[in-house]
Amino acid sequence: MAPIVRQGRQSPMTATDRWGYPRATGPDLMSRRPTPEAAAPAPRRKLGVVLVDPLPVVRAGVALLIDERADMEVLAEAGDGLDGIEQLAKVRRSRVVVLVGLGLEGDHDASWLIRTVRERFPEHALLAMGANADPSTVSHALFVGADGYVDKNCDPTEFLVAIQKVAVREMVLLGPAAAAVGEIADGIELRRDLDLRLTGREREVLAVAAEGLTARQIATRLGVRERTVTTHLARIYGKLGVGNRLAAVRMAARSGLVTVGAND
Amino acid sequence: MILGVVRLACDALPDVEIVREVDNAPDAFEAATRIDPDIAVVDLDLADTEGADVLRGLRDRGFAGRIVAVSERVDGQAVFEAMRFGVDAYLAKPDGLRRIGEAIRRVREGERVLDPALENAAVLELGRFARQARESSEMVSSLTRREREILDLLAEGLTMKQIGRRLGISPRTVETHVAKLYRKLAVRTRVQAVAKAASLGLIELR
């Protein structure tokens, strides 16, 4: 197999990347056996990780895994998005990896957290974690700003490698998602098209319509007249080139704009 | 060369037979629609047709079978593009050809076959793709409705005066809008603005 030339990476001989973190190597990663590279001066600083996931057991497991490592540490943990941002505000580091559990729900769900981190802490890297997430969920996470996605049922060693890769802003897909690159890209493209074609208000109407509400219920929810809602819906169908609500909602769902059914 | 390898590989598989061999894109399209095989083994390095166009042609004609792609190209962009057309296996020439029999057998069972290095390259390309999509949607949301209208008219080739007349505003006002628009798109000329807008998917070039 001809070698794949990756842009922007140095030669494989270097033991650390350009931020001083040890480079991800293969199966040797977990072993504590000192290697010739390890004899070199220790990295100036450990790679900091902030962990935000609603499930305490997941947080505990990931924290254990990371603390095993000499070159990584968990700086903070949070069980919801809002607390995650508060914790991040206290972190006095410029480049950390934020692990975001896609199971976060409510007003401050995973996509809120990803967007907010992107906006407020653009230098941090974001790694989304899910369990068997479908391609549209992964599309959405990547579109809003995640640098990668890992499935929680992956191999622990690979999981740690993924953290190191996103730390240098290298895209990672771990788990079944890796085979679904095509579908994920389709979702991202669709999502971008929705953003290009629909106004913010129209996307809002579409998202509420996806819940299966009547035009009157949508109107009540958004505090507008029923007529306004039907006008919006008609314009949305026109812009998306679909004939009815079901088709529009299906499109929005494939793009990850709306979530149909539970997703973790 | 590829035909020979595929023939050998299929002979070794008890329940696989070659139903048609073609050496150009038009014949491939014809075969895909007429015969509708379960699996198409596609060489992406045909002389007359780009690999992506072969895949697009097959899918556009409704071919929904599995595709085993074979190519000299091992860069992320090529693999990513192929995956967007739903190929089930991507094998690099010449080494990957050794595994073509195995690939045919596995895609038949619904598996995907992709070397980890190729997969990694495609994933990196996906990263660029996602970032670009996000940036274009951010840029679009920063444009006002008026700026988008003017962008459309700029793309049509109208002068400032004509745009002003069309929108019922003074040419000076148009110029102000255009200046702001250029700043947001980070461009200096109309041609750059139109090219940028097209690459972002904001306007369609005809």
Side-chain angles (χ1 to χ4, degrees):
Chain A
M1 170 87 41
I4 305 279
V5 179
R6 283 217 219 106
Q7 291 159 5
R9 299 272 87 87
Q10 319 115 304
S11 83
M13 294 304 290
T14 13
T16 55
D17 63 37
R18 58 195 158 114
W19 281 282
Y21 301 123
R23 291 183 60 79
T25 56
D28 232 22
L29 202 75
M30 292 291 276
S31 84
R32 298 294 192 81
R33 188 166 41 84
T35 56
E37 287 92 343
R44 287 183 305 279
R45 198 179 238 175
K46 291 180 178 186
L47 172 56
V49 176
V50 172
L51 192 52
V52 192
D53 192 281
L55 303 175
V57 174
V58 170
R59 294 202 302 274
V62 172
L64 268 178
L65 207 58
I66 290 172
D67 286 339
E68 276 281 295
R69 294 280 313 236
D71 55 357
M72 287 187 193
E73 60 184 330
V74 175
L75 301 174
E77 278 180 37
D80 63 77
L82 209 53
D83 190 27
I85 288 295
E86 277 172 27
Q87 299 293 333
L88 271 169
K90 289 186 214 152
V91 169
R92 301 174 60 83
R93 289 265 189 106
S94 57
R95 301 183 56 88
V96 305
V97 174
V98 187
L99 292 181
V100 178
L102 293 180
L104 294 167
E105 281 173 359
D107 287 343
H108 304 102
D109 63 2
S111 75
W112 176 86
L113 181 60
I114 294 171
R115 279 181 198 281
T116 311
V117 172
R118 266 284 153 274
E119 224 173 272
R120 288 189 51 190
F121 311 101
E123 73 281 14
H124 292 343
L126 278 157
L127 183 57
M129 298 185 294
N132 284 319
D134 51 43
S136 65
T137 307
V138 179
S139 298
H140 183 66
L142 299 184
F143 181 81
V144 295
D147 297 298
Y149 168 81
V150 291
D151 213 274
K152 286 177 194 162
N153 64 24
C154 71
D155 175 76
T157 312
E158 289 181 4
F159 180 72
L160 292 170
V161 174
I163 293 176
Q164 290 182 315
K165 280 188 172 176
V166 294
V168 293
R169 288 295 175 79
E170 196 174 292
M171 166 72 73
V172 187
L173 281 184
L174 210 53
V181 165
E183 289 91 331
I184 293 168
D186 286 349
I188 291 171
E189 187 170 59
L190 201 54
R191 181 60 216 276
R192 187 202 63 182
D193 285 353
L194 289 182
D195 272 16
L196 298 193
R197 289 189 225 166
L198 304 184
T199 65
R201 191 57 162 174
E202 284 164 352
R203 287 200 298 275
E204 220 175 321
V205 170
L206 181 57
V208 180
E211 292 176 28
L213 303 183
T214 63
R216 178 175 302 189
Q217 288 167 323
I218 296 172
T220 314
R221 173 86 73 87
L222 298 177
V224 296
R225 288 183 310 144
E226 192 178 334
R227 249 321 265 291
T228 314
V229 171
T230 49
T231 312
H232 274 310
L233 285 173
R235 192 169 300 147
I236 292 168
Y237 302 159
K239 285 182 178 179
L240 299 184
V242 298
N244 56 47
R245 187 196 289 204
L246 188 65
V249 168
R250 211 181 294 136
M251 227 165 151
R254 263 200 299 140
S255 78
L257 176 68
V258 299
T259 315
V260 180
N263 253 314
D264 185 80
Chain B
M1 175 189 82
I2 298 221
L3 278 178
V5 177
V6 176
R7 260 182 229 142
L8 275 176
C10 290
D11 279 349
L13 294 167
D15 46 1
V16 174
E17 60 166 344
I18 295 178
V19 287
R20 183 83 178 267
E21 291 175 1
V22 297
D23 61 2
N24 62 72
D27 286 353
F29 300 154
E30 195 256 353
T33 38
R34 275 254 303 273
I35 305 172
D36 193 23
D38 297 314
I39 300 174
V41 178
V42 182
D43 185 347
L44 298 183
D45 310 318
L46 292 183
D48 305 331
T49 316
E50 285 284 321
D53 291 333
V54 179
L55 297 175
R56 183 181 297 111
L58 287 172
R59 292 307 191 201
D60 282 355
R61 283 165 181 78
F63 176 68
R66 312 222 189 267
I67 297 179
V68 174
V70 180
S71 175
E72 273 168 9
R73 288 185 60 185
V74 290
D75 56 294
Q77 215 181 349
V79 183
F80 178 71
E81 206 167 42
M83 288 182 88
R84 295 213 59 194
F85 289 114
V87 305
D88 300 274
Y90 190 106
L91 304 178
K93 284 185 213 166
D95 294 12
L97 285 174
R98 249 183 268 141
R99 300 195 350 254
I100 196 153
E102 183 203 338
I104 291 172
R105 183 179 57 73
R106 283 173 60 194
V107 301
R108 191 166 177 236
E109 284 158 15
E111 282 182 58
R112 297 219 174 151
V113 182
L114 189 59
D115 181 274
L118 294 178
E119 181 180 281
N120 199 29
V123 167
L124 293 182
E125 191 61 32
L126 175 70
R128 272 188 283 278
F129 182 79
R131 197 161 35 238
Q132 210 171 26
R134 180 166 66 246
E135 279 165 9
S136 51
S137 113
E138 276 164 7
M139 191 165 278
V140 171
S141 56
S142 77
L143 300 183
T144 64
R145 187 178 298 191
R146 199 47 137 196
E147 284 162 357
R148 284 196 67 168
E149 274 173 353
I150 290 175
L151 183 58
D152 284 339
L153 298 175
L154 282 175
E156 282 179 32
L158 269 59
T159 64
M160 301 286 177
K161 207 185 272 181
Q162 288 168 325
I163 293 173
R165 211 173 305 135
R166 185 80 73 88
L167 299 175
I169 54 179
S170 82
R172 278 298 290 276
T173 315
V174 176
E175 275 168 34
T176 316
H177 283 305
V178 168
K180 271 197 203 132
L181 179 64
Y182 284 6
R183 204 171 322 129
K184 286 183 185 175
L185 294 176
V187 297
R188 285 160 176 270
T189 67
R190 173 196 294 246
V191 172
Q192 287 173 345
V194 172
K196 181 84 175 253
S199 76
L200 292 172
L202 261 174
I203 53 169
E204 272 173 37
L205 292 178
R206 278 155 296 225

